[in-house]
Amino acid sequence: DTAVSQTPKYLVTQMGNDKSIKCEQNLGHDTMYWYKQDSKKFLKIMFSYNNKELIINETVPNRFSPKSPDKAHLNLHINSLELGDSAVYFCASSQDKGSSYNSPLHFGNGTRLTVT
Amino acid sequence: SQKIEQNSEALNIQEGKTATLTCNYTNYSPAYLQWYRQDPGRGPVFLLLIRENEKEKRKERLKVTFDTTLKQSLFHITASQPADSATYLCAWMDSSYKLIFGSGTRLLVRP
């Protein structure tokens, strides 16, 4: 039983295209995240949703738009893809959101996006 | 700015030895630190969490320390095994409630 699953695992596309990455968690968690891991392996937060509400929106281009149809799903849509968008995108979930809570994150296995 | 730093050089040790990885932070005092393991092609997996009022935390062969004076956390793997080879990430929650990760240290345990 995969706790946090994201699809597709690999995504190769051309510049200018629009693509989506889907994420689902079956842990019953309230909070979901999107992280980007670049070629230097830095994991950087992009977005966070708590019960379908956007709570963290980092400085990312507005070509990136997250959508949470329910608290078990958080999808990432990317418009007008650019070469610099090539990276591994990780979805994650946790029981609680920020503040004084310190629940660990559960990550999916990533989507490797290659823009040519 | 708030920073979290890990040694970017890989740590290469002999099986059976103790691996010690370092996480340093600046310009902030996190209430706790988390440690994760990441294998190639996989997402990070949570290992341990240590709070600022805890000096040390253990889980099987893993031990984490938290020194608020030195602004440093050390992650130890005793009796290391080749299967421990992976990248280890430390993370903290910043003042904006975002979990910030270090760049990770790659550990290679030679048989």
Side-chain angles (χ1 to χ4, degrees), chain A residues 2-4 24-30 72 93-95 105-107:
Chain A
T2 304
V4 180
E24 175 182 5
Q25 54 96 3
N26 63 5
L27 296 166
H29 287 168
D30 294 327
S93 71
S94 68
Q95 182 59 52
L105 268 57
H106 295 253
F107 283 85

Side-chain angles (χ1 to χ4, degrees), chain A residues 9 35 37 40-43 45 56 58 90 98-110, chain B residues 4 32 34 36 38 41-46 49 51 89 93 96-104:
Chain A
K9 187 168 177 60
Y35 276 80
Q37 190 168 43
K40 295 184 179 178
K41 305 300 182 186
F42 265 107
L43 258 177
I45 191 167
I56 294 175
E58 278 299 271
F90 286 98
S99 185
S100 60
Y101 301 117
N102 50 36
S103 299
L105 268 57
H106 295 253
F107 283 85
N109 282 325
Chain B
I4 190 166
Y32 60 90
Q34 299 183 18
Y36 290 76
Q38 186 174 21
R42 307 297 293 268
V45 174
F46 172 75
L49 179 151
R51 293 178 176 80
L89 305 158
M93 187 157 286
S96 304
Y97 309 123
K98 295 188 292 284
L99 195 64
I100 307 297
F101 284 85
S103 58

Side-chain angles (χ1 to χ4, degrees), chain A residues 20-36:
Chain A
S20 292
I21 306 172
K22 294 185 176 181
C23 179
E24 175 182 5
Q25 54 96 3
N26 63 5
L27 296 166
H29 287 168
D30 294 327
T31 307
M32 296 185 72
Y33 311 80
W34 278 109
Y35 276 80
K36 178 181 180 180

